Amino acid sequence: MMKLDFLTLFPEMFEGVLHSSILKKAQEKEAVEFRCVNFRDYSTNKHSSVDDYPYGGGAGMVLAPQPIFDAVDDLVSKSENKPRVILLCPQGERFTQRKAEELANEEHLIFICGHYEGYDERIREHIVTDEISIGDYVLTGGELGAMVIADSVVRLIPGVLGNTTSKIEDSFSTGLLEHPHYTRPAEFRGLKVPNVLLSGNHAHIEEWRTKQSFKRTLERRPDLLEDYTLNKKEEKWMQQIKDEMNQEN
């Protein structure tokens, strides 16, 4: 069972997310265990404060090291495995599907969700194994980022998703964006499902889907193709797609 601990000043923020949809089912299947820990409970300050003014002056307050160090030490001491300690931070590595797949192989993850102006640098330097950002923008705290990462990681745990091929075919898992999907009816308001999907020819369907993935990636995220190695068949498809796109323009 994977364990995910969230160190946060606002544990109530996690209630709806952790007890709904796939994350709820993952817990029911005993594939994962979630714990929300208020690191204010570890403060030794008489006012239970967790932040202080920054040395050298400046705007905002900085999270102090003592409550977070003690909280992480406590969780690590109770862990059967050495956990990855993840700091949610705008300066961190940008979160990707590849990172989600990497983290899904771990037994224990600890997320540090900060607030205020930032963290005491000693937290970053001495207890954190990963710094992660979910995008190039700033949120009021790390909670939403931790929820995003948790959702992305937990769905990759074996047995969590009903269809085991879903996670393999997801956008980014193959290095490409996912192909279009259709369902019944075959015609809706005069809009028809592509004939190939109704043909029953699985080889043709698979080829169509792969070509559509290439086309969608080329149109929307051409940067993903920079690190993608095309085989000879795919090179031919890509040229066909480019020719078709040029004709459309």
Side-chain angles (χ1 to χ4, degrees):
M1 177 188 295
M2 175 183 275
K3 294 183 179 180
L4 277 72
D5 291 321
F6 303 94
L7 296 183
T8 173
L9 296 174
F10 304 95
E12 65 276 8
M13 289 182 66
F14 291 83
E15 288 299 314
V17 172
L18 299 185
H19 295 93
S20 303
S21 188
I22 297 298
L23 297 186
K24 177 183 178 182
K25 291 179 180 179
Q27 292 175 89
E28 292 172 347
K29 293 180 179 180
E30 298 185 347
V32 65
E33 177 185 355
F34 298 121
R35 293 181 296 189
C36 292
V37 178
N38 191 331
F39 58 85
R40 190 182 299 279
D41 296 339
Y42 289 84
S43 175
T44 58
N45 184 286
K46 65 179 181 179
H47 300 296
S48 296
S49 61
V50 295
D51 62 330
D52 212 329
Y53 295 101
Y55 278 122
M61 304 289 280
V62 175
L63 284 172
Q66 179 271 314
I68 294 178
F69 265 76
D70 286 358
V72 171
D73 285 346
D74 186 30
L75 293 174
V76 170
S77 69
K78 298 173 182 177
S79 181
E80 298 178 359
N81 308 93
K82 186 177 181 180
R84 295 274 285 271
V85 181
I86 299 169
L87 187 74
L88 280 301
C89 176
Q91 302 171 27
E93 168 190 358
R94 187 184 294 184
F95 188 61
T96 63
Q97 184 67 19
R98 183 174 297 178
K99 190 69 173 182
E101 292 166 357
E102 175 189 329
L103 295 176
N105 292 317
E106 297 293 331
E107 298 288 336
H108 188 183
L109 302 176
I110 298 174
F111 296 90
I112 302 176
C113 308
H115 263 69
Y116 311 117
E117 183 63 24
Y119 306 92
D120 185 290
E121 190 66 15
R122 289 165 289 190
I123 296 170
R124 190 192 312 274
E125 292 179 342
H126 296 286
I127 61 175
V128 168
T129 61
D130 301 82
E131 294 181 50
I132 298 179
S133 167
I134 63 168
D136 295 341
Y137 47 87
V138 178
L139 300 171
T140 56
E143 285 79 9
L144 294 174
M147 293 181 219
V148 167
I149 295 171
D151 184 274
S152 181
V153 168
V154 169
R155 65 188 299 278
L156 297 175
I157 299 174
V160 169
L161 292 181
N163 186 344
T164 57
T165 62
S166 295
K167 61 185 180 184
I168 299 173
E169 297 176 352
D170 285 336
S171 291
F172 306 111
S173 291
T174 62
L176 304 171
L177 298 184
E178 196 172 9
H179 57 76
H181 292 277
Y182 295 89
T183 188
R184 292 179 289 185
E187 184 174 345
F188 176 72
R189 296 187 178 182
L191 305 173
K192 297 181 180 180
V193 171
N195 289 330
V196 64
L197 298 178
L198 308 176
S199 68
N201 188 317
H202 295 292
H204 289 174
I205 291 171
E206 186 60 30
E207 181 175 316
W208 180 87
R209 286 175 169 170
T210 304
K211 287 181 178 179
Q212 289 297 311
S213 288
F214 277 111
K215 182 178 180 181
R216 181 159 287 187
T217 305
L218 186 62
E219 290 175 335
R220 304 183 183 190
R221 288 292 305 277
D223 57 295
L224 295 177
L225 295 170
E226 294 175 4
D227 298 322
Y228 190 97
T229 302
L230 299 168
N231 59 38
K232 290 184 178 180
K233 181 183 288 187
E234 291 169 343
E235 287 178 354
K236 183 178 179 181
W237 289 346
M238 186 61 70
Q239 189 57 54
Q240 291 174 349
I241 292 168
K242 290 179 178 178
D243 291 342
E244 290 171 2
M245 290 173 63
N246 288 333
Q247 290 175 4
E248 292 172 359
N249 295 330

